[in-house]
Amino acid sequence: MMSENDKKVLAEAEQRRPFIHLFKESFGYFLYDVNMDEILSIPGEVYESLKGKQEGGSEDAKAYIRNLKADGYLKTARVKKSIHPATKYVKFYLQTKLKHLTLQITQNCNLRCEYCIYSGGYKNRTHSNKVMSFEVAGKAIDYLIAHSGETESVSIGFYGGEPLLEFGLIKKCVEYAEKAGEGRRIVFAITTNATLLREPNISFLADHDFKVLVSLDGPEAIHNKHRKYAGGSEGSFDALLKNVASIKDKYPDFFKKNVSFNTVLDPENDFDSINDFVNNHEVFKNSQFNFSVIDERYKDERNPVSNDFYAQKNYELFKTFLGKIGWLSEPYDSKTMNSYFENINIKKGKAACSREQLPETGHHGGPCIPGVLRLFVNADGNFYPCERVSESSKITCIGNVYTGISEEKAVSLMNVERVTTDQCRECWAYDYCTVCVGSADNMEEMSAEAVKRNCPLIRYQVEEKFKDYCMLRYLGFEF
C-alpha cells in the first residue's frame, strides 16, 4: 500500500509532466496541449519522444521539443483549486438571467415508450394521473418573468407525459404568460408524440408561433418497436404520420419554420433504415431532426447493440465527410450526421478565448448553472436543473415555485468536480468533459463512482472528435 509521502511524491512528479495528450492517425501524429487548448501536428520521432518510447531521442527531436517550449507549449500547469468559474455569479444569474421554463403539465401519457425515463426501467418516477394545477403553473411563469430581466427573450416549454392531454391548461398558461410578460418576447414550445396533434390544437399552436418538437424514431417498424399506446401493443406511427402530414398540408409555412423532430436511436435497430427514412420520406425529408442515443443515465441495464448499427453509422459519417470536402460527384447532406459534424469544430465559439495556461481556479466542462438554461418544474411545483435529471433523487431538487431556486443547492450541483478533484485535474479531456449532476447522481448524493463510470467513454469520444477534426483539416476542409 502506498504511503502518504509516496503519494505526494507521485503527485509532484505528475505535476512536472507536460499536460498534453498524444494521438496518431494514418495521416500523422498529433499533440493536444491542454494548457493552450490547441492541437498541433508533430513529427513521428517527437511523438515517440514525448510518449517516452524513444530513449533520449534524436537531436532534431530534442530541438523540436525545445522550440515547442519556447513557443509556450508543454507547460506542466494544472488547475489547483476546483471551483466552477460561474460560482461567483450564481446569485446574479438566478435573479436576472433565467432563459427557459419547462412545465411538466401532466405525468400521464397515452403511450408507453419502453425507453422513456418514466417507463419504470429507470431510477425515476413512473407515469401517473397527476396534473399540474394552474396555480403552480402560474407561479412558475411569474418566477420566470421576475427572474429574467437581463434576458432578451424567454421561452416556455410544455412537457409530459404527453402535454396535449391537458390542452386546456396549456391554453390558460399561454394566455396568462402573454399577459404577465406583456412587452417581453416569449417563445412557446411543446414536445409531443403527435398522436393528439390535430385541430383545434394545431390552429392555436400556429397562432401563438409554437416551436413543436415531435418524437419520431424512424420508419413504421422501428418507431412502433418502442412507441406503443398504453394498455396494448398497437404502435403510434400511423396516427403520427396522418397528423404531421395534415399540418404540412394545411399550415405549410408553420410546418417548415416551426415543426422539427427528435429521433431516439436504439443501437439494436438498423441504422441505415432510419437514415434513409429521415432523409428521403416525402413528409419529413426537408425537416430538421435532432438525434440522440437512448439515455442510459439512471438505468440499471445497458442497452443491447446490434453488430451493424455503429458500422452503418460510421459509414454514413464517412460519406458525410466526403461530401463536405467535395469528393463526391453530387452534393451530399445527411440529417443523421449533421449535428455530429457541427460538434467536430472544437474551436467553435472559442476564437476569442485563446489562452496560454489553465487558470489556477477552474472546473471541467459539463455543468451549467442549474435552472438558468432549462428550469424544469414538475407537476408538484418542484424545481430541477432540467428535465433529464431524476425527480426521485435526494439531491436534484433545487427549490419550488413557492420558495424559489436555492442558491446553495445550485452551487452544490454545478460544482460536480469536488467529488473527483484529483482525477479531474489530471484528465487531458478537462475542457471537453460532459459530466454534470445527471451523470454524477447515485440517487443519494454526488458519487465519485458514478462520475468515473463515464470517464472512459468521454475520453474516447473527445479523442475521436479530435481525430475527425484533424483529418478534415488535413484534407483541406476549412471550418
Side-chain angles (χ1 to χ4, degrees):
M1 192 172 184
M2 195 179 293
S3 68
E4 288 302 314
N5 185 60
D6 289 340
K7 288 181 181 178
K8 185 178 179 181
V9 171
L10 181 62
E12 289 173 351
E14 287 288 336
Q15 290 290 325
R16 289 193 293 271
R17 292 183 188 175
F19 202 4
I20 60 175
H21 176 64
L22 299 163
F23 59 97
K24 61 182 178 179
E25 274 288 15
S26 59
F27 52 88
Y29 298 85
F30 299 92
L31 178 158
Y32 170 61
D33 189 289
V34 182
N35 275 284
M36 301 284 273
D37 190 24
E38 285 186 32
I39 296 175
L40 303 176
S41 175
I42 58 176
E45 61 177 350
V46 174
Y47 173 91
E48 295 297 336
S49 290
L50 291 172
K51 266 287 194 190
K53 293 181 178 179
Q54 188 166 294
E55 193 68 34
S58 69
E59 288 305 315
D60 285 345
K62 290 177 182 177
Y64 196 102
I65 291 171
R66 285 196 297 271
N67 288 334
L68 284 176
K69 290 180 178 179
D71 288 339
Y73 298 99
L74 305 183
K75 295 186 184 77
T76 61
R78 271 74 165 167
V79 168
K80 294 180 180 178
K81 189 175 182 181
S82 298
I83 299 178
H84 194 294
T87 299
K88 59 185 176 182
Y89 306 117
V90 165
K91 185 173 184 179
F92 171 72
Y93 270 77
L94 293 180
Q95 289 182 348
T96 67
K97 299 281 281 185
L98 265 59
K99 296 177 185 292
H100 178 83
L101 178 72
T102 300
L103 298 174
Q104 186 188 63
I105 291 296
T106 177
Q107 293 185 354
N108 196 5
C109 187
N110 59 334
L111 301 187
R112 289 297 182 270
C113 305
E114 293 171 4
Y115 57 67
C116 177
I117 59 171
Y118 304 133
S119 63
Y122 292 75
K123 296 171 183 175
N124 209 328
R125 65 155 180 81
T126 56
H127 290 296
S128 76
N129 292 322
K130 190 171 289 185
V131 175
M132 181 178 283
S133 70
F134 179 63
E135 177 192 350
V136 166
K139 286 189 174 295
I141 293 167
D142 287 341
Y143 191 84
L144 173 68
I145 300 299
H147 293 81
S148 58
E150 294 290 324
T151 305
E152 189 174 332
S153 68
V154 295
S155 56
I156 298 174
F158 297 93
Y159 190 79
E162 171 49 51
L164 288 177
L165 288 170
E166 299 297 328
F167 185 66
L169 178 57
I170 292 174
K171 289 180 67 175
K172 288 180 69 176
C173 289
V174 170
E175 291 162 358
Y176 181 81
E178 289 178 337
K179 196 171 291 185
E182 189 174 2
R184 301 288 301 278
R185 182 171 182 264
I186 303 176
V187 178
F188 297 105
I190 188 167
T191 301
T192 176
N193 61 41
T195 58
L196 304 175
L197 199 56
R198 49 183 179 261
E199 297 292 7
N201 302 353
I202 294 301
S203 58
F204 180 85
L205 299 181
D207 288 344
H208 292 271
D209 203 28
F210 262 71
K211 303 297 181 185
V212 180
L213 182 63
V214 174
S215 300
L216 169 64
D217 288 351
E220 183 173 5
I222 288 176
H223 180 87
N224 286 345
K225 175 183 174 182
H226 292 297
R227 304 187 64 78
K228 302 179 179 72
Y229 283 100
S233 58
E234 182 187 358
S236 58
F237 181 85
D238 287 344
L240 180 153
L241 181 61
K242 179 182 177 183
N243 292 342
V244 170
S246 178
I247 299 170
K248 186 174 184 179
D249 180 54
K250 295 179 181 177
Y251 301 88
D253 293 337
F254 173 73
F255 182 86
K256 182 178 180 181
K257 176 187 169 189
N258 290 50
V259 179
S260 60
F261 298 87
N262 184 66
T263 297
V264 177
L265 299 172
D266 178 351
E268 199 174 17
N269 287 330
D270 181 72
F271 181 85
D272 284 347
S273 297
I274 300 169
N275 185 65
D276 181 66
F277 175 82
V278 301
N279 284 310
N280 299 308
H281 191 284
E282 187 60 35
V283 174
F284 309 107
K285 65 181 180 181
N286 294 317
S287 297
Q288 179 183 336
F289 276 76
N290 303 316
F291 298 89
S292 61
V293 177
I294 293 177
D295 194 344
E296 293 186 333
R297 291 183 298 180
Y298 299 108
K299 199 171 189 285
D300 289 325
E301 297 181 5
R302 303 296 92 180
N303 298 312
V305 179
S306 75
N307 292 329
D308 295 333
F309 180 85
Y310 284 106
Q312 293 171 350
K313 181 172 176 285
N314 288 336
Y315 182 59
E316 187 63 22
L317 182 60
F318 172 67
K319 291 189 293 183
T320 300
F321 286 170
L322 292 181
K324 297 293 184 183
I325 60 177
W327 285 18
L328 295 180
S329 57
E330 296 180 7
Y332 190 80
D333 184 50
S334 173
K335 291 190 182 74
T336 53
M337 289 296 109
N338 277 341
S339 59
Y340 176 81
F341 184 82
E342 286 295 316
N343 287 327
I344 290 174
N345 188 358
I346 60 172
K347 291 299 180 186
K348 186 177 182 182
K350 287 192 168 189
C353 305
S354 59
R355 69 183 182 215
E356 296 184 357
Q357 185 170 308
L358 282 163
E360 289 203 354
T361 299
H363 195 286
H364 67 64
C368 62
I369 302 176
V372 171
L373 293 180
R374 300 186 66 81
L375 178 60
F376 178 63
V377 189
N378 76 351
D380 294 318
N382 293 321
F383 286 161
Y384 298 88
C386 70
E387 67 276 11
R388 301 184 71 183
V389 303
S390 174
E391 298 161 54
S392 302
S393 170
K394 291 184 178 180
I395 65 167
T396 53
C397 181
I398 57 174
N400 59 62
V401 296
Y402 301 103
T403 61
I405 298 175
S406 164
E407 183 181 336
E408 180 183 357
K409 288 185 177 179
V411 168
S412 175
L413 294 192
M414 65 195 282
N415 281 278
V416 180
E417 191 181 313
R418 71 178 188 274
V419 299
T420 48
T421 298
D422 292 339
Q423 295 90 339
C424 290
R425 288 177 187 170
E426 290 300 322
C427 180
W428 63 266
Y430 194 79
D431 280 331
Y432 299 88
C433 181
T434 56
V435 167
C436 65
V437 62
S439 308
D441 179 19
N442 70 0
M443 304 298 289
E444 297 285 337
E445 61 184 357
M446 295 262 232
S447 159
E449 289 70 27
V451 171
K452 290 175 188 176
R453 279 197 297 270
N454 297 276
C455 298
L457 178 60
I458 290 172
R459 283 193 288 266
Y460 169 78
Q461 290 174 334
V462 174
E463 184 174 286
E464 289 300 297
K465 184 189 295 186
F466 283 5
K467 288 178 178 178
D468 289 338
Y469 176 82
C470 293
M471 182 267 291
L472 286 164
R473 291 291 302 269
Y474 172 75
L475 294 174
F477 185 82
E478 293 294 334
F479 283 92

